[in-house]
Amino acid sequence: MSDLLHNQETRPADLPAGAPPLLTLSGIAKYFPGVVANKDVSIDFYPGEIHALLGENGAGKSTLMNIVTGLYQPDEGELILDGYGVRFESPEAAIAAGIGMVHQHFKLVSRFTVAENLALGWRETGFRLSASAMARRAEVEAERYGLDIRPSARIDTLTSGEQQRVEILRVLSRGARLLILDEPTAVLSPLEVGELYAALRRFRDGGGAVILISHKLDEIMALADRVTVLRHGRVSGTHLVAHTEPSTLVTEMIGRPVEQKSDYPRKMPRTDDDAVMVLENVSCRDGAGQMRLHPLSLEICAGEILGIAGVTGNGQSELSDLLAGLRSSETGHVLVDGKDMRGRGPNAFREAGIGYVPEDRLHKALAPALGVTENAVMRLFRTSPIGGRLAYHASEALRFTRSLLDQAQVSLAEPATPIRALSGGNQQRLVLARERMISHRALVASYPSRGLDIGAIALMRQTLADIRDEGRAVVLVSEDLDELMALSDRIAVLCGGRLMTVVPRGDYDRARIGALMSGRNGGASS
């Protein structure tokens, strides 16, 4: 244990003596104006291992992988592949060398079939490969890697888990020996997570190497063989997962211990369970006219957290927008404190005390081209003392922004800084603090922990519990069942835009809820 305690790098436990790494990062550094993204990063990645990268937002994980895949060039240091120094001038050069990455946002052509998307990466495709030949080749590749696909299915008809399998197969079928995955379970149901784990283990056991970028400690502990922790762009330590503890990794990552709660008990009993928001037989369509949310009815009560579970793309976005006034219902009624809000816009919902943290924070909650101050007050321009009918008080806006930054625990010297210069975690904290001030009656939070590191997630979850304890209603949309079960008083499960069931806290069954999220009505009891 002494090597672990002193943060000395360890080789994979079952690696033959003298076996060389597939890829070595030696003294890698990358600088941007005013920012040290990476400094003196040295890591070995071996064939036959799953190696996790763990770190806070802004720790340098993405920059490091952009160097490995040829998007960036290192300012210092060297990449060593199969014992030879290499320099990838482009992602195509990295792919040709056997390094492929599956990004958090898939790069598939939605109107093409699975086979057509796979064929886009094959050198021999040309103009002569028929649809049937592409399908046969796709089936051969899928069988080779143990990935279940439907070659003739169009991408836009697939679940997130199915699309991810296609993305992984697309990379592997181009000869990847090193597979990099960025937050691979962010859009998967629990059942799909299990299927992904099995596929990655098959690839590893066949001699492939996997680099897993993740914020989820339970995922790393279940799947990875080794883990490297990055902090402020530098390596804090590399460990055998079997010989370390999650608490050690957390402390190494952020410099202090963070309690990983599985429950957020109330500070005092509920005194008010009146319905703040009521949905009566509501449904809605997307911009293309497709029905995305089928008729459903729900009550959201004061002093409770209602969890919305479901795999991404099953109506959660439409439901969240409906609850915040960004989308109008096709049928039924949306009531806030008994007042019918159907057809009224987001300003009316804000005035009724409904705050909203959308899943796409940068484009739906913020204006990327504006500064922090403008984004902090953008929902309050018409509210005294910041504004009024014809006035805008810059000094009050600045005072409000500084207060909001303090509440959000965002350290920023100049509030005029462009909002896009902040890390994703800081952007999310700022949005949550702003919307908390608006949400006198209810807060709708859609995937609020997506892309956040462990410390930011802990702060966000405690904030939601505090809002609940203040007697306000919270709607929490998440695909993370652990998060939903820790925070929610009830969990409503969506699949295919339909409400499958609403489960009270005392009846939570992880396997059953996970099965319903995937449209599988069975689900073994845990």
Side-chain angles (χ1 to χ4, degrees):
M1 289 293 290
S2 61
D3 57 339
L4 296 175
L5 294 175
H6 291 88
N7 293 328
Q8 296 174 357
E9 180 169 331
T10 54
R11 290 162 60 88
D14 56 355
L15 189 72
L22 172 62
L23 175 70
T24 293
L25 309 185
S26 178
I28 296 294
K30 184 66 181 177
Y31 308 110
F32 298 101
V35 177
V36 178
N38 293 122
K39 179 66 175 177
D40 195 28
V41 174
S42 296
I43 312 173
D44 289 327
F45 300 103
Y46 289 90
E49 77 159 338
I50 297 175
H51 194 130
L53 284 184
L54 179 66
E56 290 185 280
N57 296 112
K61 305 184 299 297
S62 295
T63 300
L64 195 63
M65 290 303 100
N66 284 337
I67 291 172
V68 171
T69 57
L71 283 168
Y72 294 159
Q73 299 303 317
D75 294 320
E76 297 173 7
E78 186 179 24
L79 300 180
I80 302 170
L81 183 68
D82 295 324
Y84 295 91
V86 294
R87 183 181 180 90
F88 300 133
E89 300 293 344
S90 68
E92 288 72 22
I95 292 170
I99 297 174
M101 183 166 180
V102 176
H103 295 269
Q104 193 170 349
H105 302 289
F106 306 141
K107 309 294 184 181
L108 302 172
V109 182
S110 62
R111 294 188 176 274
F112 281 17
T113 67
V114 169
E116 288 167 343
N117 270 274
L118 294 176
L120 290 174
W122 299 335
R123 295 188 183 91
E124 64 271 43
T125 298
F127 295 98
R128 298 184 178 181
L129 199 61
S130 67
S132 59
M134 282 190 287
R136 285 195 300 272
R137 167 76 183 274
E139 289 173 348
V140 169
E141 294 289 347
E143 184 175 354
R144 175 185 176 190
Y145 293 106
L147 293 166
D148 184 22
I149 62 165
R150 293 179 285 146
S152 62
R154 261 181 35 163
I155 294 298
D156 56 10
T157 67
L158 303 181
T159 67
S160 297
E162 290 172 327
Q163 290 185 35
Q164 186 182 70
R165 285 199 292 272
V166 176
E167 189 76 274
I168 292 173
L169 187 58
R170 187 173 67 88
V171 172
L172 295 182
S173 66
R174 298 179 71 176
R177 298 177 294 150
L178 174 61
L179 179 64
I180 305 168
L181 297 107
D182 184 8
E183 299 289 347
T185 63
V187 296
L188 303 185
S189 72
L191 291 177
E192 289 171 328
V193 168
E195 293 166 355
L196 172 65
Y197 284 7
L200 295 180
R201 288 177 179 131
R202 280 194 297 270
F203 178 65
R204 175 199 62 188
D205 294 345
V210 177
I211 299 177
L212 176 70
I213 303 172
S214 179
H215 288 117
K216 299 180 180 179
L217 277 177
D218 56 345
E219 181 171 282
I220 290 172
M221 301 304 293
L223 187 59
D225 301 296
R226 291 192 302 153
V227 54
T228 291
V229 183
L230 293 180
R231 186 178 179 207
H232 303 316
R234 294 169 169 82
V235 173
S236 293
T238 297
H239 308 282
L240 289 168
V241 169
H243 295 165
T244 193
E245 297 292 332
S247 58
T248 300
L249 299 178
V250 171
T251 301
E252 200 167 77
M253 180 176 65
I254 64 177
R256 58 182 174 82
V258 173
E259 183 181 2
Q260 302 294 300
K261 293 185 179 180
S262 59
D263 189 21
Y264 291 80
R266 297 177 184 281
K267 296 176 181 176
M268 59 188 67
R270 286 175 69 183
T271 58
D272 181 7
D273 58 0
D274 291 340
V276 174
M277 303 186 77
V278 177
L279 304 182
E280 296 179 346
N281 202 39
V282 298
S283 63
C284 65
R285 300 179 184 273
D286 61 17
Q290 181 179 355
M291 186 67 75
R292 302 293 297 176
L293 192 66
H294 297 272
L296 62 83
S297 298
L298 277 173
E299 283 192 356
I300 303 149
C301 298
E304 78 158 346
I305 297 177
L306 174 66
I308 307 293
V311 179
T312 301
N314 280 266
Q316 300 96 313
S317 294
E318 289 75 18
L319 178 61
S320 299
D321 284 354
L322 199 66
L323 291 169
L326 273 72
R327 191 183 298 267
S328 185
S329 58
E330 178 90 359
T331 62
H333 300 277
V334 179
L335 307 178
V336 176
D337 289 324
K339 184 177 181 179
D340 194 346
M341 304 290 286
R342 183 183 176 190
R344 307 191 68 186
N347 282 335
F349 278 75
R350 175 187 59 79
E351 291 169 359
I354 309 301
Y356 185 30
V357 180
E359 58 183 298
D360 185 356
R361 56 181 170 255
L362 189 58
H363 297 100
K364 291 181 73 172
L366 301 168
L370 299 181
V372 170
T373 297
E374 290 84 356
N375 277 279
V377 303
M378 64 166 40
R379 297 256 277 161
L380 300 166
F381 272 120
R382 301 177 183 176
T383 304
S384 178
I386 294 170
R389 294 179 61 186
L390 299 173
Y392 172 67
H393 303 290
S395 60
E396 293 294 341
L398 184 59
R399 184 178 294 111
F400 175 84
T401 300
R402 293 192 184 281
S403 173
L404 201 66
L405 289 169
D406 287 342
Q407 292 179 42
Q409 298 184 26
V410 174
S411 179
L412 192 65
E414 179 50 65
T417 300
I419 195 74
R420 60 189 170 199
L422 273 62
S423 70
N426 282 339
Q427 290 174 3
Q428 184 75 319
R429 285 201 286 264
L430 188 66
V431 170
L432 181 56
R434 183 188 72 193
E435 298 303 309
R436 180 180 185 177
M437 296 190 70
I438 291 170
S439 60
H440 305 301
R441 296 298 288 142
L443 176 72
V444 181
S446 185
Y447 306 103
S449 62
R450 182 177 286 174
L452 300 187
D453 56 60
I454 291 168
I457 288 173
L459 178 62
M460 180 278 300
R461 291 179 179 176
Q462 187 59 58
T463 299
L464 295 183
D466 291 344
I467 294 171
R468 172 205 65 191
D469 290 346
E470 291 165 1
R472 299 182 247 179
V474 177
V475 179
L476 172 60
V477 181
S478 177
E479 70 276 280
D480 186 338
L481 262 184
D482 290 330
E483 180 169 88
L484 289 171
M485 293 172 71
L487 283 163
S488 304
D489 297 281
R490 296 180 295 144
I491 295 177
V493 184
L494 288 181
C495 182
R498 291 180 168 82
L499 179 62
M500 307 293 283
T501 189
V502 179
V503 186
R505 186 172 187 84
D507 295 337
Y508 288 171
D509 181 322
R510 183 185 180 86
R512 178 171 175 259
I513 294 173
L516 288 168
M517 288 169 64
S518 301
R520 308 174 195 181
N521 291 322
S525 297
S526 59

